[in-house]
Structures are given as C-alpha cells and as structure tokens.
Amino acid sequence: MTVAHDVKDLELATGGRYRIDWAGQEMNVLKQISERFAEEKPLSGVRLSACLHVTTETANLMKTLQAGGADVVLTASNPLSTQDDVAASLVVHDEIPVYGIKGEGKETFYKHIHAALDHKPHITMDDGADLVSTIHKDRQEALDEIIGGTEETTTGVIRLRAMANDGALRFPVIAVNDSATKHLFDNRYGTGQSTLDGIIRATNILLAGRTVVVAGYGWCSRGIAMRAAGLGGNVVVTEVNPLRALEAVMDGYRVMPMMEAAKIGDIFVTATGDINVIDEPHFALMKDGAIVCNSGHFNVEINLDALAAMAGGPPNLVRPYVEEYKLGGRSVYVLGEGRLINLAAAEGHPASVMDMSFANQAMAAEYLMRNVEKLQTQVYTIPEEVDMEIARLKLLGMGIRIDNLSDEQEAYLNQWREGT
Ligand code: ADE
C-alpha cells in the first residue's frame, strides 16, 4: 500500500530516484552520518515532521533520518520549490509521506503543513519556521509531543529569536543556520551560485557588462555579489547596516541607496529578509527592461502588489518564470513571482554544499534526542566540536589533508609569558 501523500504524479518516481542518487554522490558527509545512523539508530521511534524544500538534496537527508530510525514526513517549505519527481520517488521508493506540488497555491501549502503536523511529531525540522509558527498559532495541542525543533535558514532563526525574546517559544530549537559549516558555505557559495543559475535559466541573458544591484550584504548577498561580479556584472550593493555597507565598499562594490540604484540597475536581486526592499518609488525610477528577482526566504522583499497597481493589472508571462509588468512606456520583468529564484527557476544549492547543511540537520536531530533532559525553551547553536567534525569530514571526503598543531605549537598557544 502506498503511504499517504499529495504529490503531482507518482509516475515521475523513477526519474526522481536517478536524480536523488546523483545528488547523493556529492553528499559524502551525509553518507557517513547515514552509515553510522543505520548502525546506532539514534532516532529510533522518533516521529519527525520536516518542512523543507523538496529537492534531491532534501531527499538524501530524509533517507538519512529514516536510516537513523525516524518515522519521517516531508512537506514543502515553498510553493514553487518542490521537485515533483523527487516527491514521487520518496513516496514510492522510500515510503516517506510527502506533501508538495510545484506551483501549489497558498491554501494547499498550509493544508500540507497541517498534514505534516497530523503526524504528531516529536521533532520539527523547518526551513523558514513555518511548522513552529503554525504549531504556536493554530496547533498548540502538538506541543504535548514535541521534544524540539531544528531550523535551516537565516529568516527562520530571526523569527525564532523574536519568539524566544517575546517569551512565546514553547520548545528548544537548534539554529542550524548558525553553524559555521552551514552559513559560511550554503548561504555564501550555495546562494551565490544557485541564484545566478536561477536568473540565467529563467532569462538566458548575458550578465557581462550589466549593472547588477544586490540588496543586502549578509552571507547570501555576498555570495550573489561575488558570483555576479565573476560573470562580468557591475555590482552595486544596497545596505542599511553601516558595517556591512563598509565591507561591501572594501570588497570593491559601489554602495548607494536603492533610490539611486533603481535608476541604473539592469538586474535587481534582493536577499535581505525584510519587506518591500523594492517598492513603488523604486519601480517608478527603473529603466525599461529592468529585471527584478528575489533570493531571500519569503516573497515579501519585492512589493508586487504595488507593481501590479502601477501596471493597472496582472503581468504577462513572457517565458517560464518571467512576468512583464507594463508601466506606461516601460516594462519591468519579475522573475519567479518574487519567490526564491534559485529554487523556483533552478534546483537550489548544489548537493556538495547542502551536504554540510544537512549533515548539521541530521546531527541536530540526534543532539536533540541525546539532550532531551537538558535543553530549555531556547534557540541553540550546535556545539562547536560538532561543527568542526562536519568540516573535518567534508575535507576528508574531498581528499584534502591539513596540518596538525605540534605539541610545541599547542603549548605556545596556551601560554601568555612568551612574546618577542
Ligand atoms: N535550500 C537551498 N538550496 C536547497 C536545496 N538544494 N535543497 C534543499 N534546500 C535548499
């Protein structure tokens, strides 16, 4: 009998399995964790509900958690990011209930979140805190069973810290995003590459010589700026944080307010985590043909309602993921409905980088189980030694060896008398 699911088409399962295995070849750290989990079964008897992007990389994480003994259910963390063949394969080949269909509406998205909570999880695994926030708002009965949660992304961690500061958070959550082996790699190199991949797949435009405006200069935006510059773009950064703005300047980018950048940009990419970063006054100044997209978690960074109002109606779909808003004599093009362009028009971050993010997720679930008694209702970071172990395993998998401190060097670092 097939497990419960709401996916596009189970016939897609075979293709999905090939792609999941292909990604798995790049996920060496996760593979090693999976082998250990299969022996030690640290998640035995644990019901785990995950709300993540349904991708080939996530599928490998789900299989790892299952190998560790968890009873896993997966729901989509974004209406446009689901890879339908992957969803089908997890249902058919791994008996994992999956709820996610690429292009699903908001109502279906939340129906799916509730279906994942019907699983009565002991652990929640979020990318954007949708499970946690739904539990706290609408499904408080779920709190009885929950031991803790994990959170993948910057936006989710910001939401969780706001809940903790308000005294609203009711169970411990591990902020996977805070691990160095997550944000320094996934956010920077993963978002950098996959965002440019999404823009190029959606538009097929040449970036060389174009002015690319990157909103924000956090780890994700840094990656985007770096890769846009690598493809020959003239990068402009907008920021509100003086320290980050200064870093952007010294990294060699022009920095200016969005009202100025709006006039000169050819391509705009937001990754700030905040709302209405590109708004009506900016659209009013944009050049004919300007392209606007988002790589931040939620579709709130570009004010599309304002743009639709300015255009006096809905946009024209000129090619998949490219919508044209006509503003008098000018056109502004929005990619991927203002949702994560890297997952809407491309496949998200490559497996090699998700390997470390999802190694953190698997280790975080294990950590929650091993420390149930000790943990308070707080937002935690994974212990540094776990983070370091993930880095060590990643290097090992890449065949890269590094030096070790000699006893003499170790002793030197631990003393304070010796100087010049
Ligand atoms: N977030 C960004 N890229 C991703 C991927 N490939 N899989 C899951 N979550 C992601």
Side-chain angles (χ1 to χ4, degrees):
M1 212 183 68
T2 318
V3 293
H5 61 273
D6 189 16
V7 303
K8 184 164 184 214
D9 181 1
L10 292 182
E11 296 284 322
L12 300 171
T14 306
R17 177 148 76 178
Y18 285 129
R19 293 201 320 110
I20 292 167
D21 290 347
W22 173 259
Q25 292 172 21
E26 294 272 305
M27 303 181 85
N28 203 275
V29 180
L30 197 62
K31 185 161 168 258
Q32 292 178 61
I33 294 172
S34 183
E35 284 163 6
R36 178 172 66 75
F37 272 18
E39 273 177 28
E40 297 176 10
K41 299 279 176 204
L43 303 177
S44 184
V46 173
R47 287 191 301 275
L48 190 151
S49 297
C51 178
L52 301 171
H53 300 294
V54 182
T55 65
T56 52
E57 294 74 28
T58 300
N60 281 287
L61 171 62
M62 294 299 107
K63 290 167 68 151
T64 299
L65 299 169
Q66 193 179 50
D71 175 7
V72 186
V73 162
L74 174 63
T75 189
S77 62
N78 184 295
L80 275 189
S81 64
T82 298
Q83 297 172 4
D84 292 316
D85 56 344
V86 170
S89 175
L90 285 172
V91 171
V92 171
H93 301 122
D94 303 292
E95 297 185 7
I96 294 178
V98 180
Y99 303 94
I101 300 169
K102 189 170 176 89
E104 67 193 20
K106 206 169 169 178
E107 201 178 311
T108 308
F109 177 80
Y110 281 105
K111 192 180 86 186
H112 287 163
I113 296 235
H114 282 282
L117 292 176
D118 291 342
H119 187 52
K120 298 189 174 23
H122 300 114
I123 293 182
T124 59
M125 192 168 273
D126 257 320
D127 185 324
D130 282 323
L131 288 177
V132 171
S133 93
T134 305
I135 289 169
H136 284 72
K137 283 190 299 203
D138 306 324
R139 296 287 299 263
Q140 296 198 1
E141 82 285 353
L143 290 167
D144 295 342
E145 303 266 6
I146 291 182
I147 289 163
T150 69
E151 170 55 49
E152 170 80 5
T153 199
T154 319
T155 297
V157 173
I158 291 171
R159 267 174 119 180
L160 290 164
R161 292 234 152 86
M163 288 175 79
N165 290 342
D166 255 7
L169 188 65
R170 301 278 298 278
F171 54 85
V173 183
I174 313 253
V176 163
N177 187 68
D178 288 0
S179 298
T181 48
K182 199 279 182 179
H183 65 263
L184 292 180
F185 302 92
D186 168 315
N187 300 25
R188 184 168 32 173
Y189 304 109
T191 309
Q193 178 166 323
S194 63
T195 299
L196 273 298
D197 185 16
I199 294 170
I200 293 166
R201 287 201 210 189
T203 61
N204 197 28
I205 55 162
L206 183 76
L207 278 131
R210 303 287 172 103
T211 298
V212 182
V213 178
V214 180
Y217 205 60
W219 290 111
C220 293
S221 328
R222 275 162 218 241
I224 298 166
M226 179 170 65
R227 294 302 179 235
L231 285 164
N234 293 311
V235 176
V236 170
V237 171
T238 69
E239 244 303 343
V240 292
N241 176 315
L243 194 67
R244 287 182 172 181
L246 199 54
E247 284 183 274
V249 171
M250 302 237 175
D251 284 345
Y253 305 118
R254 279 181 293 164
V255 174
M256 61 186 77
M258 186 59 89
M259 285 297 277
E260 283 172 36
K263 293 181 225 159
I264 58 172
D266 297 306
I267 301 148
F268 296 80
V269 192
T270 55
T272 69
D274 213 339
I275 56 166
N276 299 340
V277 174
I278 301 186
D279 211 338
E280 187 178 338
H282 309 122
F283 293 125
L285 295 171
M286 282 180 190
K287 297 196 284 193
D288 180 30
I291 293 172
V292 180
C293 66
N294 168 53
S295 215
H297 183 80
F298 288 117
N299 61 336
V300 296
E301 304 207 16
I302 304 167
N303 190 346
L304 288 182
D305 289 341
L307 184 58
M310 289 167 84
N316 307 318
L317 185 67
V318 296
R319 47 186 276 155
Y321 309 110
V322 183
E323 289 180 316
E324 178 187 29
Y325 290 79
K326 285 203 170 10
L327 307 178
R330 294 176 299 128
S331 291
V332 168
Y333 297 95
V334 175
L335 308 186
E337 299 169 25
R339 297 194 182 276
L340 285 163
I341 189 60
N342 58 342
L343 282 139
E347 294 170 63
H349 307 350
S352 168
V353 87
M354 291 312 294
D355 186 23
M356 286 188 280
S357 310
F358 285 166
N360 274 283
Q361 285 285 11
M363 302 280 249
E366 180 182 29
Y367 184 79
L368 278 174
M369 288 317 296
R370 295 210 195 278
N371 294 279
V372 183
E373 307 298 336
K374 280 192 250 159
L375 297 173
Q376 321 269 311
T377 52
Q378 282 174 24
V379 180
Y380 288 92
T381 302
I382 278 190
E384 199 188 336
E385 60 272 16
V386 178
D387 210 356
M388 280 295 177
E389 175 63 6
I390 292 170
R392 197 186 64 75
L393 290 174
K394 187 71 189 169
L395 283 170
L396 196 70
M398 295 167 90
I400 295 169
R401 294 184 307 122
I402 59 171
D403 290 322
N404 292 317
L405 288 177
S406 66
D407 291 345
E408 182 195 25
Q409 288 172 326
E410 181 96 52
Y412 180 82
L413 290 178
N414 288 318
Q415 62 80 40
W416 54 271
R417 287 177 201 283
E418 232 177 286
T420 308

